[in-house]
């Protein structure tokens, strides 16, 4: 090889300050096409990202090659959402070249923060489910597990939220507008995906009945690959996202008709498939385009998985030993019918053989028990959009029900509950039942949620297949959520216990004994204060509001949803406001109520709650009689980047859902790990957080899931009575209903008051109010004793080790996937 190229190659990978600086300048000029004088911050971001990407590519290829050579079993994580956030800090930090990069930029007269801030936030997800997928990618790569993410490359991620006159307004989120330096387009990795058409029956070569799907519309799925850098940079995995491309098989008939433009228009429309992420969190809208998105990415992914498998194998018998496919909720569950179709129709396997392989390959994670979120597609829609799949689903169902009938002994109610088809009203396919039946393992995402799955939605299936349901309590990656988001605390931790915690979070338990060390407590407080200052500056920039750094930062950040009960928090805010006004001479512990979260654009109640928070903020923040004792802020456009600023600064973590409704929560874990004390119900993973941090270090209140269940079952709950017997609750509600916060429109909040009273208060806000206020009081009193508060905060951080997504992913790897770490061979290339 030409020596000049070789030396350039080495330079491309060099990780020292000089090498980085030289390569930044080279990228800026030759790829971004600017000189240093004309370059904007965005140009520098692209420059740095491209230079960093260079340092990843060799190791990425080594990793992929190692998996190939070892014919390792891979896990494929199919998810309609990956809420990744920014990648620059993540890549630098996982490669271990953060300081070098900062210095290189410094020598160019640039600030690292400015460059980092020019990166758009990749928001290809709505909330917890999508962020979990992103944490899993980080954990799989960090532990050397051969894991691939498969999803959709949405052109528009989750909408940008702005407040106009206090109301949420949605704007398109154009994260790709200026290009995406992290991804590699793969125009040669292209799979056809079909829709509509009809099914033709014929006799195969041995005279058996066989089927083919004909006269269908076609689109192409084109791959874009993003390297997923594991901690330490040894393993670089792949996130493969599909983009819809029109096929070129034009109908020449149209040309002759002079309908050329019409043909082209149809082609262009087919690319809408990957245009936009549906903005509903835990609700299902039943839109045909959504079904098509689900099938589009699932089919492309399965074709890709089979192609990779067939590089080493000629029969499909080994597929379950070489591929584990995890369904992130039911969104990719149509994949079960699709794999059957591919095996039976395209590869001529016998049905029973194909079914055995399919079931052994798939596993399914359930993320919610909310009935409105359980996907059920109208039979008529699937018949039209995916006619062959509808036949396959009927066949799976018939075989299953026939087998079960013998045992069910005439229990028709049970059989109809087990059926894949819901026959009540318009006939629908229950995707949860399909996912359950087509998987060898089915899991919930916290201990409580998994128990409730067994008792409720999957009760009959659990009796039928008692070994299938298992629990995998969620986790979060300590790299992004402690090391990167909270440098102040992570540096402190590392000085005391070393840096082992970054890749093995269980080691953070060594901090327990430091809780009694006054010097450490002082330093811990100092780190928190630094983060609070950073957040206060952010709040001022975003809302114009000045908040007191020494107040309790009481934080509720998550999607706006009635079951998450932001309303309970608002009612307490109003009650506290009244108390402070009534007792101006009392020395109050100052409180800053911090909210953030998006509402689904069509979720009117959630949008009204946003407006209420903004209205309450306006009144409270401008009332001189409460001074600085109470401030309310609702930060716009909550996303991963905002979370990285808010979470490290929190004192109190609001996890106050109606018990039994939050499957797990993961924000609860991020906040506790960053030293916030939780105020929460016994719901989702809060239950396990209490077990780990200890009941003395968490504020638990409210009804349990069992109590909620009993209360609802007996129908004996009357919110009017509860309100009448609680003066502070009554006063707060009266203020809302008489327009104290909406003098311009006194009836504005009628729907909210209605829901909490005559509506029956389905989410039991009023039922938990008194207990919640007591827990809030206890928190405020504790905050007066800063030593005691800090001690508990440290114990929270120290006891959260188990909630690392490394632990979660290892449990999946051992108990569901049977995949094992592979150590890539990097010998061929010099890394440093
Ligand atoms: C659950 F069903 C859904 C959904 O559509 N989107 C979503 O984010 C969340 N979730 C749960 O609400 C959380 O409790 C849970 O921690 C998270 O999924 C990850 O499992």
């Amino acid at each position: 090889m030409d020596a000049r190229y070789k030396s350039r190659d080495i330079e491309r990978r060099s990780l020292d300050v000089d090498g980085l600086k030289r390569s930044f300048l080279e990228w800026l000029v030759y790829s971004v096409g600017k000189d240093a004088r004309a370059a904007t911050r965005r140009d520098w971001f692209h420059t740095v990202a491209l230079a960093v990407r260079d340092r990843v590519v060799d190791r990425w290829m080594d990793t992929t090659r190692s998996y190939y050579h070892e014919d390792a079993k891979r896990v494929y994580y199919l998810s309609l959402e990956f809420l990744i956030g920014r990648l620059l800090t993540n890549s630098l930090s996982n490669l271990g070249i953060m300081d070098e990069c900062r210095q290189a930029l410094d020598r160019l007269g640039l600030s690292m923060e400015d460059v980092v801030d020019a990166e758009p936030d990749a928001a290809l997800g709505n909330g917890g489910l999508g962020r979990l997928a992103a944490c899993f990618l980080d954990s799989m790569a960090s532990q050397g597990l051969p894991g691939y993410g498969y999803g959709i490359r949405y052109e528009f991620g989750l909408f940008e939220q702005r407040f106009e006159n206090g109301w949420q307004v949605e704007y398109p989120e154009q994260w790709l507008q200026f290009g995406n330096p992290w991804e590699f387009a793969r125009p040669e990795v292209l799979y056809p995906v079909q829709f509509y058409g009809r099914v033709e029956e014929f006799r195969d070569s041995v005279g058996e009945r066989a089927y083919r799907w004909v006269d269908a519309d076609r689109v192409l799925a084109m791959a874009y690959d993003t390297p997923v850098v594991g901690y330490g940079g040894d393993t670089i995995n792949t996130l493969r996202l599909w983009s819809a491309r029109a096929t070129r098989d034009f109908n020449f008939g149209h040309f002759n008709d002079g309908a050329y433009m019409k043909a082209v228009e149809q082609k262009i429309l087919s690319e809408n498939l990957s245009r936009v992420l549906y903005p509903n969190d835990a609700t299902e809208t039943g839109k045909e385009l959504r079904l098509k998105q689900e099938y589009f990415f699932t089919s492309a992914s399965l074709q890709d998985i089979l192609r990779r498998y067939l590089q080493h194998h000629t029969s499909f018998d080994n597929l379950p030993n070489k591929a584990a496919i995890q369904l992130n909720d039911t969104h990719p569950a149509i994949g079960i019918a699709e794999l059957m179709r591919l095996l039976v129709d395209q590869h001529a396997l016998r049905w029973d053989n194909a079914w055995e392989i399919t079931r052994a390959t798939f596993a399914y994670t359930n993320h919610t028990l909310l009935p409105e979120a359980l996907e059920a597609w109208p039979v008529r829609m699937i018949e039209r959009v995916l006619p062959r799949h509808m036949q396959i689903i009927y066949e799976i169902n018939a075989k299953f029900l026939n087998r079960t009938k013998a045992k069910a002994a005439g229990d028709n109610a049970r059989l109809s509950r087990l059926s894949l088809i819901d026959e009540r009203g318009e006939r629908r396919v229950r995707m949860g039942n399909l996912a359950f039946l087509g998987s060898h393992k089915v899991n919930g995402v916290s201990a409580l949620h998994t128990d409730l799955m067994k008792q409720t939605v999957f009760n009959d299936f659990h009796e039928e297949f008692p070994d299938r349901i298992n629990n995998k309590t969620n986790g979060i990656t300590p790299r992004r959520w402690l090391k990167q988001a909270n440098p102040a605390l992570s540096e402190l931790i590392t000085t005391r216990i070393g840096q082992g915690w970054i890749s093995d979070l269980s080691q953070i338990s060594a901090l327990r004994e430091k809780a009694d060390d006054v010097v450490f407590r002082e330093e811990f407080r100092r780190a928190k204060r630094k983060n609070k200052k950073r957040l206060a500056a952010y709040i001022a920039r975003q809302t114009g509001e000045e908040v007191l750094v020494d107040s309790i930062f009481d934080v509720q950040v998550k999607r706006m949803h009635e079951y998450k009960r932001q309303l309970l928090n608002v009612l307490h805010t109003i009650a506290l406001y009244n108390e402070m006004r009534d007792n101006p001479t009392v020395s109050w512990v100052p409180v800053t109520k911090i909210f953030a979260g998006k509402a689904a654009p069509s979720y009117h109640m959630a949008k009204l709650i946003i407006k209420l928070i903004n209205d309450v903020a306006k009144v409270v923040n401008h009332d001189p009689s409460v001074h600085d004792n109470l401030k309310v802020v609702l930060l716009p456009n909550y996303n991963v980047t905002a979370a990285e600023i808010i979470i490290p600064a929190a004192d109190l973590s609001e996890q106050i859902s109606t018990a039994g409704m939050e499957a797990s929560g993961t924000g609860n874990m991020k906040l506790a790990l960053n030293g916030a004390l939780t105020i929460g119900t016994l719901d989702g993973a809060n239950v396990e957080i209490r077990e780990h941090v200890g009941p003395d270090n968490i504020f638990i209140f409210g009804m349990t899931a069992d109590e909620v269940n009993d209360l609802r079952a007996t129908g004996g709950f009357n919110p009017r009575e509860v309100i009448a017997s609680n003066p502070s609750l009554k006063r707060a509600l009266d203020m809302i209903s008489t327009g104290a916060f909406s003098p311009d429109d006194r009836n504005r909040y009628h729907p909210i008051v209605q829901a909490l009273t005559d509506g029956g208060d389905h989410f039991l806000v009023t039922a938990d109010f008194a207990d919640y206020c007591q827990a809030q009081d206890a928190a405020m009193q504790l905050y007066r004793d800063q030593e005691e508060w800090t001690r508990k905060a440290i114990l929270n951080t120290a006891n959260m080790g188990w909630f690392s997504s490394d632990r979660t992913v290892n449990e999946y790897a051992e108990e569901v996937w049977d995949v094992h770490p592979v150590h890539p061979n990097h010998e061929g290339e010099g890394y440093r």
Side-chain angles (χ1 to χ4, degrees), residues 81 126-130 132 280-283 329 331 366-368 373 445 474 563-564 661-666:
E81 304 190 7
N126 275 286
L129 174 151
L132 185 74
N280 307 299
D281 180 72
T283 49
D329 217 289
H331 314 148
N366 173 280
H367 292 269
T368 183
V445 289
N474 285 164
Y563 85 81
K564 295 178 189 280
M661 300 196 80
E662 187 71 90
S664 162
T666 45

Side-chain angles (χ1 to χ4, degrees), residues 151-153 190 220-224 241-245 271 274 296:
I152 293 180
R153 180 181 178 272
L190 220 49
L220 298 172
M222 176 184 149
Y224 284 81
L241 300 178
W242 302 105
S243 182
R245 290 287 177 275
E271 299 190 346
S274 54
F296 166 74

